[in-house]
Amino acid sequence: MEDYQEKISLLQEMISFALVDGELHDREYDFIEMVAMELEVDKSTLHKLFDKKNESKVIKDEFHRICQFYRLALLMHSDGILHDAETIKINEIGINMGLNPYAMKRVLHLMKQSPNGMVDGDVLLSVFSEQHN
């Protein structure tokens, strides 16, 4: 992660995505809070982000874009309810990040098929790298 503003932008994008279905579930909040702790963003700053509507900062590195897409996908599955609006929004976000739509679709399918809703990191990266060939 390059700088603090990029971390804030990632969290804002996650918050915006979590609210796409009209409500913030406890499990979604817990997941966002966990990511914030991992990114070393304090709780008071995180709470302020729920009130802000800033534009997202473009992630330059493809690896970090894939990681953010996966974070959003995990967030999407965290409440146990998959809304059509979430699926549409995550695809829009991924395309705006410049990710391959077929790879995104495959990752989402793998997550849906997984008993715990997760995909191994090596599998995640290989799905996206397959599309480069």
Side-chain angles (χ1 to χ4, degrees):
M1 200 65 39
E2 284 188 31
D3 62 13
Y4 187 74
Q5 187 55 43
E6 188 173 311
K7 293 176 183 181
I8 296 298
S9 180
L10 293 175
L11 290 170
Q12 286 176 310
E13 185 173 47
M14 292 180 76
I15 291 166
S16 174
F17 183 69
L19 296 171
V20 115
D21 63 357
E23 66 179 291
L24 180 67
H25 298 275
D26 290 341
R27 293 176 77 182
E28 291 173 325
Y29 173 80
D30 292 343
F31 183 78
I32 293 170
E33 185 179 46
M34 184 177 64
V35 171
M37 287 179 4
E38 184 181 308
L39 295 175
E40 299 175 350
V41 173
D42 63 86
K43 206 173 209 176
S44 64
T45 302
L46 175 64
H47 289 176
K48 290 175 188 172
L49 296 179
F50 282 91
D51 298 327
K52 290 186 177 181
K53 301 290 184 204
N54 291 349
E55 295 231 353
S56 297
K57 185 175 179 182
V58 176
I59 305 169
K60 296 173 186 159
D61 178 79
E62 183 179 33
F63 174 77
H64 287 103
R65 290 191 311 252
I66 292 168
C67 290
Q68 179 65 358
F69 174 80
Y70 186 59
R71 281 188 203 106
L72 293 173
L74 288 171
L75 179 61
M76 182 170 83
H77 286 85
S78 69
D79 64 0
I81 305 165
L82 296 177
H83 296 276
D84 289 339
E86 291 173 325
T87 303
I88 292 167
K89 186 67 176 177
I90 197 168
N91 283 305
E92 286 176 8
I93 291 169
I95 288 170
N96 288 337
M97 285 193 287
L99 297 176
N100 184 292
Y102 298 108
M104 293 185 307
K105 184 177 180 178
R106 184 150 176 242
V107 167
L108 294 174
H109 177 74
L110 289 170
M111 290 178 77
K112 197 181 268 189
Q113 299 303 313
S114 171
N116 62 2
M118 298 177 77
V119 175
D120 180 77
D122 292 334
V123 173
L124 176 68
L125 293 176
S126 72
V127 167
F128 280 95
S129 62
E130 283 173 5
Q131 298 303 318
H132 291 293
N133 296 329

